[in-house]
């Protein structure tokens, strides 16, 4: 396996935009930008021996910063921080001190605010293993969050066809943190609607949401609902065809252990994507709001043409004391690991 740096010729915030290419001996290839830690390509060999790109993305880097893309911004393949998903009313308190964030999704704060980690230039650090480590230093007050936060995200592509994402962070002031990665997957060789993909998620409960998809604090059993993925089933089997899924699931696991979060397969390609994580929840999103023109190969992306498994802590947990804590304090280290593993269901 090897890692290769490629210059894009672009500069943002006085920093050079670079692409990192990781390859392994299985023919798998991943392309990552240091802008937003965007995974723009994830090429694997399917059951027919054909190379297939399984993530939604754009052909050229400059397309990720174009106005028309950002107007219907789907966060294609980007890291999310400081705080994934929605924070109610864009506000929270730590130790009795209130903080106010941008209300960039109705009255709520979504995915870190107006310009989160997905639109920042990360530094590329030297690494010993065949991997790449990106670092971003988020200053105190950025997007309203307290504390100087140092974040490192390491991507490692193994010869077992695992793309490992390992996150670490430290702060000098107590702050709220909840990181994830927003990759959109489609395992079909032809792309298109992902409703026929077979999906399994070991989660007996999901989190109730209000009308703006903000978690309320209530857990609801999946049994007898459209949200039951305890047994594998087609994604579209029970869904509301106009809404799809945009729901947070509480994984059946011991807190902090690295276990299966989901498994998704597609018959024509013979590919299976298994997601493992140390995080307590996975947010399953089937792309209702995807609307991207002139994406890879000149294609347009439409609703329900990609799915996300966003591993993280409970959304809005900073405002819900009963949920696992998302406050990071000086002297502590935030750490989470998520693995995207590719396998074959047929050969």
């Amino acid at each position: 396996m090897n890692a290769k740096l490629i210059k894009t010729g672009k500069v943002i915030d006085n920093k050079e935009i670079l692409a990192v290419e990781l390859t392994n001996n299985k023919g798998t290839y991943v392309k990552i930008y240091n802008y937003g830690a965007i995974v723009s390509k994830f090429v694997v060999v399917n059951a027919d021996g054909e190379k297939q790109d399984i993530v939604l993305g754009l052909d050229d880097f400059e397309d990720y910063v174009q106005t028309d893309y950002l107007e219907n911004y789907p966060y294609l393949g980007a890291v999310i921080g400081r705080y994934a998903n929605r924070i109610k009313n864009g506000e929270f308190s730590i130790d009795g001190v209130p903080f106010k964030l941008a209300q960039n999704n109705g009255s709520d704060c979504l995915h870190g605010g107006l310009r989160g980690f997905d639109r920042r230039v990360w530094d590329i650090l030297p690494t010993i293993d065949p991997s790449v480590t990106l670092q971003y230093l988020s200053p105190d007050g950025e997007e309203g969050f307290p504390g100087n936060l140092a974040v490192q995200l390491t991507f490692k592509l193994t010869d077992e066809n695992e793309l490992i994402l390992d996150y670490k962070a430290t702060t000098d002031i107590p702050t709220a943190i909840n990181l994830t990665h927003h990759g959109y997957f489609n395992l079909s060789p032809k792309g298109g609607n992902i409703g026929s993909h077979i999906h399994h998620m070991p989660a007996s409960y999901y989190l109730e949401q209000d009308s703006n998809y903000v978690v309320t604090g209530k857990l609801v059993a999946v049994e007898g609902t459209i949200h039951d993925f305890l047994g594998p089933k087609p994604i579209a089997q029970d869904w509301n065809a106009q809404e799809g899924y945009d729901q947070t699931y509480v994984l059946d696991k011991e807190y902090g252990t690295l276990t299966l979060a989901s498994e998704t397969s597609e018959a024509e390609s013979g590919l299976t994507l298994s997601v493992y994580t140390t995080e307590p929840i996975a947010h399953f999103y089937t792309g209702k709001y995807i609307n991207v023109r002139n994406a890879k190969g000149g294609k347009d992306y439409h609703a329900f043409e990609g799915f996300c498994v966003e591993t993280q802590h409970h959304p809005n947990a900073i405002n819900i004391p009963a949920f696992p804590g998302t406050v990071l304090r000086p002297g502590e280290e935030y750490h989470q690991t998520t693995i995207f593993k590719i396998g074959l269901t047929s050969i």
Side-chain angles (χ1 to χ4, degrees):
M1 173 184 159
N2 62 68
K4 180 181 178 182
L5 279 179
I6 298 177
K7 295 178 179 290
T8 67
K10 304 297 179 182
V11 175
I12 295 177
D13 296 338
N14 297 315
K15 292 184 177 182
E16 186 178 15
I17 307 302
L18 301 169
V20 182
E21 295 181 327
L22 304 177
T23 57
N24 70 8
N25 66 10
K26 297 285 183 65
T28 298
Y29 159 78
V30 179
K31 184 177 182 180
I32 305 158
Y33 289 111
N34 67 327
Y35 175 88
I38 293 171
V39 176
S40 67
K41 292 185 178 181
F42 195 157
V43 178
V44 303
V45 179
N46 65 23
D48 292 326
E50 300 169 339
K51 290 193 174 183
Q52 179 182 329
D53 194 346
I54 61 171
V55 295
L56 305 191
L58 308 176
D59 283 326
D60 300 311
F61 169 74
E62 60 188 16
D63 295 333
Y64 286 97
V65 293
Q66 292 298 317
T67 300
D68 57 346
Y69 170 69
L70 296 175
E71 283 179 349
N72 297 291
Y73 186 37
Y75 301 86
L76 289 182
V79 69
I80 303 297
R82 283 189 193 190
Y83 209 97
N85 214 291
R86 294 159 178 83
I87 295 177
K88 184 69 174 177
N89 295 325
E91 59 187 12
F92 62 89
S93 296
I94 298 178
D95 301 332
V97 180
F99 297 95
K100 190 68 178 178
L101 312 174
Q103 295 173 313
N104 63 319
N105 189 254
S107 62
D108 306 311
C109 181
L110 174 65
H111 290 337
L114 296 172
R115 191 181 175 204
F117 292 179
D118 55 290
R119 295 175 65 188
R120 303 289 178 175
V121 184
W122 294 56
D123 298 316
I124 299 177
L125 301 183
T127 52
I128 299 174
D129 294 324
S131 61
V132 62
T133 297
L134 305 181
Q135 177 173 273
Y136 179 63
L137 304 177
S138 177
D140 180 30
E142 184 174 75
E143 293 295 330
F145 289 92
N148 294 294
L149 186 74
V151 184
Q152 290 186 1
L153 172 53
T154 299
F155 293 87
K156 183 175 182 179
L157 179 64
T158 74
D159 286 332
E160 288 71 45
N161 264 356
E162 299 170 322
L163 180 62
I164 303 172
L165 279 61
D166 195 69
Y167 307 72
K168 295 180 180 178
T170 57
T171 184
D172 61 351
I173 296 174
T175 193
I177 181 172
N178 192 18
L179 306 179
T180 194
H181 210 267
H182 212 293
Y184 289 79
F185 293 90
N186 189 315
L187 304 181
S188 170
K190 300 183 181 66
N193 191 287
I194 47 88
S196 63
H197 285 49
I198 305 299
H199 188 69
H200 162 60
M201 187 171 289
S204 296
Y205 293 89
Y206 68 93
L207 300 182
E208 181 186 73
Q209 299 171 162
D210 67 15
S211 59
N212 197 39
Y213 304 100
V214 183
V215 167
T216 66
K218 181 180 178 182
L219 275 68
V220 183
V222 301
E223 184 178 2
T225 75
I226 66 171
H227 300 290
D228 188 348
F229 285 98
L230 289 169
K233 67 179 181 181
I235 291 175
Q237 176 174 301
D238 299 320
W239 74 2
N240 178 321
Q242 283 72 50
E243 295 293 326
Y245 291 97
D246 194 349
Q247 198 72 48
T248 302
Y249 293 80
V250 182
L251 300 173
D252 297 336
K253 59 177 293 183
E254 182 180 344
Y255 181 77
T257 58
L258 182 65
T259 55
L260 184 72
S262 70
E263 187 172 78
T264 312
S265 60
E266 199 276 333
E268 188 173 354
S269 68
L271 292 172
T272 296
L273 172 68
S274 301
V275 182
Y276 299 85
T277 189
T278 56
E279 293 296 272
I281 72 99
H283 189 86
F284 184 49
Y285 175 50
T286 54
K288 173 185 176 180
Y289 296 106
I290 296 174
N291 180 18
V292 181
R293 297 181 181 275
N294 196 29
K296 286 180 183 175
K299 294 182 178 180
D300 294 343
Y301 292 149
H302 306 287
F304 312 120
E305 293 190 354
F307 69 92
C308 305
V309 180
E310 303 163 53
T311 55
Q312 57 193 269
H313 270 51
H314 300 50
N316 199 35
I318 191 67
N319 289 314
I320 303 174
F323 284 168
T326 52
V327 174
L328 181 67
R329 298 182 181 275
E332 299 175 343
E333 182 180 70
Y334 170 93
H335 185 213
Q336 73 123 309
T337 300
T338 292
I339 300 173
F340 298 96
K341 182 177 176 62
I342 301 300
L344 295 177
T345 55
S346 61
I347 299 177

